[in-house]
Amino acid sequence: MTRIFVTMMLMLAVITGANAQDKVIDQIVAVVGGNVILKSDIENMNINQQAQGITTEGDMKCEILEDFLINKLLVAEAELDTLISVTPSQVNQQMDAQLQMYMQHFGTESAVETYFNKPIASIKSDMQEAIREQLLSQQMRSKIVENVTVTPSEVRYHYRNLSNEEIPTIPTQYEYAQITVQPKVELDEENRVKAKLREIKKRIENGSSFAAMAVIYSEGPSAKDGGVIGYSGRAQLDPAYASAAFNLKGDKVSNVVKSAFGFHIIQMVDKQGNKIQTRHILMKPKVSVEAQEEAYNRLDSLANLIRTDEIAFDQAAQMFSFDKNTRNNGGIAINANTMSSKFSIEEVDADVSKIITKMNINEISEPFETIDMESQQQVYKIIKLLKQIDSHKANLQNDYQTLAEMYLAKKKEQVLQEWIAERQSQTYIRIDPTYANCNFNFDNWIK
């Protein structure tokens, strides 16, 4: 089960619990330090897991209770640690992200309200304390294992002591290079977009709501949220956007700003230390059919020059590719999840995955249209398949990084389990007798 899914389940349990108080006679089933676990917490999580088809060979309610116990133990310790804190802005940022997940899952804000039978404001109120505890728990987990490392000799020793069944199977992996060309936008089209944004800015300055204008006109993913972007540091934002946003005073609206994503007008919402929360309206100039054809033909001609050895692929990438992340590396794509050049088929974007599995080593693809993942702009791309590593049992020579990460995760889990066992004896814990016969993974919950 993914962390995102588990988080959503916890939030669902909290929110549906607020609606179910008339159906479940609530009572305290456990106390950990100064934190309580309610019967409704267990019941509602159980209902949600059953609805998702989650099953277990043991007692699901006992397993749910132990998950809550561990979480409350982490929260109790975090609340005693002066170096761990959760600010209201962190809670609000996480809350906004969680609500976005709900909206993606259910479709619209009104559908979320219908499902929970309450307005968004009430949903937020129900979520607030659960999110605060979630953030405390995450920080505490991170602190417990922050100094855990593995050495090459440990990885080798661990690997050699794995049974054949324990050695992970590595799926087929691909290494590829790419060259991208972005269709040229005509100056008249850029001027049209800038003029429209200047007109919208004037309307806002004359009293129109920036948020309402963003919902109507913005072409960015935050449009439905009134253009709000969560708290971000300079490094997380486009350089031109960051430069304009960090210089804004009060609720002033910026002049038109050109970024890699298009053209913006920006307004400051809040500032917390080195991070800012902004709202913006993004408009993207439209690319003409002629410009699309010109970009395709230019890339097609370049691909033919590479195929006939008139120019090397890596040289062509450096000279002509629009992708700043790969052009200085011979066009070689890097997997953001592992920071290596190896991708499983699930890790490449959909347009590349349709092509790469049908290619031969060193083959150059035909140009194809796709969306640049970073700028979200339309581009044309060719790829070269550099290497294909067929599915196999992991080995130290080719898969050291995977094995190191696997052993590090195991070592961190061992450290966390030792910490939990130690803190059980040092923390006040009381569990209702109705759960006395649970077969917990940890022995000392009931004292």
Side-chain angles (χ1 to χ4, degrees), residues 41-79:
D41 296 333
I42 309 297
E43 296 291 343
N44 288 301
M45 178 63 80
N46 185 44
I47 291 168
N48 284 317
Q49 290 195 355
Q50 288 179 346
Q52 295 294 329
I54 298 171
T55 59
T56 178
E57 293 180 1
D59 187 320
M60 184 176 287
K61 289 185 181 180
C62 290
E63 292 178 7
I64 290 169
L65 174 58
E66 186 162 36
D67 287 340
F68 275 113
L69 287 167
I70 292 170
N71 188 65
K72 297 293 185 182
L73 195 64
L74 289 161
V75 170
E77 187 69 19
E79 289 176 332

Side-chain angles (χ1 to χ4, degrees), residues 422-436:
E422 180 185 349
R423 286 305 186 277
Q424 281 179 315
S425 63
Q426 301 175 4
T427 306
Y428 173 76
I429 301 171
R430 181 180 65 79
I431 296 177
D432 190 270
T434 55
Y435 289 89

Side-chain angles (χ1 to χ4, degrees), residues 213-231:
M213 294 292 101
V215 171
I216 297 170
Y217 294 108
S218 183
E219 297 175 49
S222 64
K224 60 183 178 297
D225 306 313
V228 173
I229 297 176
Y231 288 91

Side-chain angles (χ1 to χ4, degrees), residues 278-322:
T278 56
R279 65 172 85 248
H280 74 130
I281 295 172
L282 168 67
M283 297 187 75
K284 301 178 182 182
K286 304 300 181 284
V287 178
S288 68
V289 174
E290 292 77 16
Q292 293 176 29
E293 291 176 351
E294 193 275 334
Y296 179 95
N297 292 332
R298 183 149 47 101
L299 195 53
D300 190 40
S301 298
L302 184 60
N304 287 328
L305 290 174
I306 296 169
R307 293 187 190 105
T308 55
D309 296 325
E310 294 182 55
I311 186 172
F313 192 101
D314 56 352
Q315 183 182 359
Q318 188 171 17
M319 293 174 64
F320 302 110
S321 183
F322 279 60

Side-chain angles (χ1 to χ4, degrees), residues 114-345:
T114 299
Y115 180 84
F116 291 117
N117 194 30
K118 60 179 69 177
I120 291 293
S122 296
I123 295 174
K124 283 186 172 184
S125 177
D126 293 338
M127 290 169 63
Q128 197 160 16
E129 180 58 21
I131 287 177
R132 189 188 75 85
E133 290 193 357
Q134 174 198 339
L135 292 172
L136 285 171
S137 174
Q138 287 173 352
Q139 287 188 49
M140 196 66 233
R141 283 177 183 269
S142 296
K143 184 171 183 178
I144 292 165
V145 300
E146 64 183 353
N147 295 320
V148 180
T149 59
V150 294
T151 65
S153 61
E154 285 180 311
V155 175
R156 288 193 295 271
Y157 180 83
H158 174 69
Y159 174 74
R160 288 166 184 157
N161 284 276
L162 291 174
S163 67
N164 188 59
E165 292 74 21
E166 292 174 314
I167 297 174
T169 297
I170 306 297
T172 299
Q173 294 178 307
Y174 303 88
E175 295 184 21
Y176 71 96
Q178 61 186 22
I179 298 173
T180 67
V181 171
Q182 187 171 330
K184 183 180 178 181
V185 176
E186 297 298 328
L187 183 59
D188 286 348
E189 174 63 7
E190 286 195 354
N191 289 335
R192 179 191 69 80
V193 169
K194 289 190 284 187
K196 183 63 179 178
L197 282 169
R198 284 193 288 266
E199 175 199 327
I200 295 170
K201 177 185 175 181
K202 188 173 182 179
R203 290 170 64 183
I204 293 168
E205 291 173 338
N206 288 335
S208 293
S209 163
F210 195 117
M213 294 292 101
V215 171
I216 297 170
Y217 294 108
S218 183
E219 297 175 49
S222 64
K224 60 183 178 297
D225 306 313
V228 173
I229 297 176
Y231 288 91
S232 309
R234 284 183 181 272
Q236 297 169 276
L237 299 168
D238 176 273
Y241 186 104
S243 178
F246 273 89
N247 285 320
L248 287 170
K249 305 295 182 184
D251 61 353
K252 297 294 184 183
V253 179
S254 74
N255 292 325
V256 177
V257 177
K258 183 178 183 180
S259 78
F261 301 90
F263 292 89
H264 315 249
I265 53 174
I266 309 164
Q267 185 180 55
M268 178 80 76
V269 177
D270 188 29
K271 187 172 185 179
Q272 297 282 346
N274 294 323
K275 293 189 175 183
I276 57 172
Q277 185 181 51
T278 56
R279 65 172 85 248
H280 74 130
I281 295 172
L282 168 67
M283 297 187 75
K284 301 178 182 182
K286 304 300 181 284
V287 178
S288 68
V289 174
E290 292 77 16
Q292 293 176 29
E293 291 176 351
E294 193 275 334
Y296 179 95
N297 292 332
R298 183 149 47 101
L299 195 53
D300 190 40
S301 298
L302 184 60
N304 287 328
L305 290 174
I306 296 169
R307 293 187 190 105
T308 55
D309 296 325
E310 294 182 55
I311 186 172
F313 192 101
D314 56 352
Q315 183 182 359
Q318 188 171 17
M319 293 174 64
F320 302 110
S321 183
F322 279 60
D323 184 4
K324 66 180 185 296
N325 293 323
T326 62
R327 65 186 174 209
N328 294 323
N329 191 33
I332 297 173
I334 300 299
N335 187 334
N337 297 323
T338 62
M339 299 311 294
S340 77
S341 57
K342 298 176 182 177
F343 293 80
S344 68
I345 196 62

